[in-house]
Amino acid sequence: FVQALSECAPVCPQFHLALQSGSDAVLRRMKRCYNTEQFRQAAARLRAAWPLAAFTTDVIVGFPGETEAQFEDTLSLVREVRYDSAFTFIYSKRAGTKAAQMPDPTPQEEKTERIQRLIALQTEITSEILSSQVGKRETVLVESVSARDEGWVGGKTPRGHMVNFPGNADLIGK
């Protein structure tokens, strides 16, 4: 798949890789069909084809039975992959799911503290990635006029980063 995709010139190098957890034990309890090594290999294949690929992800903190060590595995994998951004969630019970029946000894306060640590780490990584782009020229697909200043427009780079710059509505879609 990566080989075929890499041969398509107009592909934007922004990929959503739904991690969910950096712990194989938690992934098994979640009934995910991949493990962390397969996840690492997928990210490495994409980065080999697109060295400047941008990755986004979803991470669930506090899945029933998640230990501190398993959460640390998630932080470690987030550091390793270096996502451009992440959608982070504290696990919440869903009626009718198997997970809703699992014992969940982790207090809510601990889950909240964990997600705060994850968000802080991701904020740091995102800041480093965006700071490395300062001063570089980028292609931007203009999407809209700024709500704050009609003399500015906003759009996204091929990696999905939002950029604002001087311009007018004539640039939308270009």
Side-chain angles (χ1 to χ4, degrees), residues 6 10 12 23 29 31 47 56 89-90 97 102 106 111 116 118-119 131 136 138 143 147 152:
S6 70
C12 288
S23 163
R29 285 197 308 278
K31 304 288 187 214
R47 282 251 162 83
T56 59
F89 308 92
I90 295 176
T97 65
M102 293 178 178
T106 308
K111 292 177 184 183
Q116 290 170 346
L118 174 61
I119 290 169
S131 292
K136 294 184 179 177
E138 285 277 358
E143 299 176 331
W152 284 65

Side-chain angles (χ1 to χ4, degrees), residues 57-149:
T57 196
D58 302 315
V59 181
I60 298 172
V61 170
F63 192 78
E66 178 188 65
T67 66
E68 178 63 24
Q70 291 166 339
F71 173 70
E72 287 291 338
D73 289 342
T74 297
L75 293 178
S76 179
L77 195 50
V78 167
R79 281 186 199 95
E80 181 181 333
V81 175
R82 295 187 54 80
Y83 297 98
D84 289 57
S85 66
F87 300 97
T88 58
F89 308 92
I90 295 176
Y91 169 79
S92 59
K93 284 187 178 188
R94 298 285 190 259
T97 65
K98 289 187 180 190
Q101 306 306 315
M102 293 178 178
D104 189 8
T106 308
Q108 186 64 32
E109 300 79 37
E110 189 171 336
K111 292 177 184 183
T112 300
E113 186 270 336
R114 286 179 185 172
I115 200 163
Q116 290 170 346
R117 287 168 41 209
L118 174 61
I119 290 169
L121 172 61
Q122 184 56 56
T123 299
E124 178 183 324
I125 292 168
T126 299
S127 178
E128 289 169 2
I129 289 169
L130 294 177
S131 292
S132 74
Q133 301 303 303
V134 172
K136 294 184 179 177
R137 290 182 74 86
E138 285 277 358
T139 299
V140 176
L141 175 60
V142 179
E143 299 176 331
S144 63
V145 173
S146 170
R148 292 187 198 153
D149 186 338

Side-chain angles (χ1 to χ4, degrees), residues 1-2 15 17 34-50 53 55 81:
F1 171 76
V2 171
F15 303 97
L17 304 175
Y34 57 88
N35 61 40
T36 57
E37 185 53 33
Q38 291 166 318
F39 194 88
R40 283 181 175 90
Q41 289 174 8
R45 283 188 202 108
L46 289 165
R47 282 251 162 83
W50 292 277
F55 294 145
V81 175

